[in-house]
Amino acid sequence: MKRKKGFTLHRICEQNIIVAEGKENVDFNNIVTMNETAAFLWEAMAERDFGLDDMVAALLGEYDVTEDVARKDCADLIDEWREAGIISE
């Protein structure tokens, strides 16, 4: 999967928020907020194709977390990103 073009992460009032930019995203009316971990993963997956294993590896390399917890959290995050429409297959 890949991040869709035109969605960028901004830090506003101590919150990480995805903002839609560009004419292809003019109908995007969701507000996507991310905690620090999700924002880290969003940036780590920029400009490349990625899968669950890539996200898990990034999380394990940055945080003190077990692989089982990382895998579940990343799978949940992928589902949230799909539902929000900010990644593509």
Side-chain angles (χ1 to χ4, degrees), residues 3-66:
R3 290 176 18 175
K4 285 187 178 177
K5 292 191 184 307
F7 292 98
T8 55
L9 179 68
H10 295 275
R11 184 131 175 106
I12 302 170
C13 296
E14 303 205 20
Q15 294 224 1
N16 297 301
I17 299 173
I18 294 292
V19 175
E21 299 171 347
K23 63 183 177 183
E24 67 274 4
N25 297 315
V26 76
D27 292 332
F28 183 78
N29 59 5
N30 293 327
I31 294 176
V32 179
T33 60
M34 295 186 183
N35 65 23
E36 292 299 318
T37 305
F40 163 76
L41 287 169
W42 179 259
E43 292 300 315
M45 299 302 115
E47 304 302 322
R48 67 183 202 150
D49 289 329
F50 65 91
L52 177 61
D53 290 339
D54 300 310
M55 291 178 70
V56 170
L59 204 59
L60 292 173
E62 186 72 14
Y63 294 94
D64 183 23
V65 61
T66 67

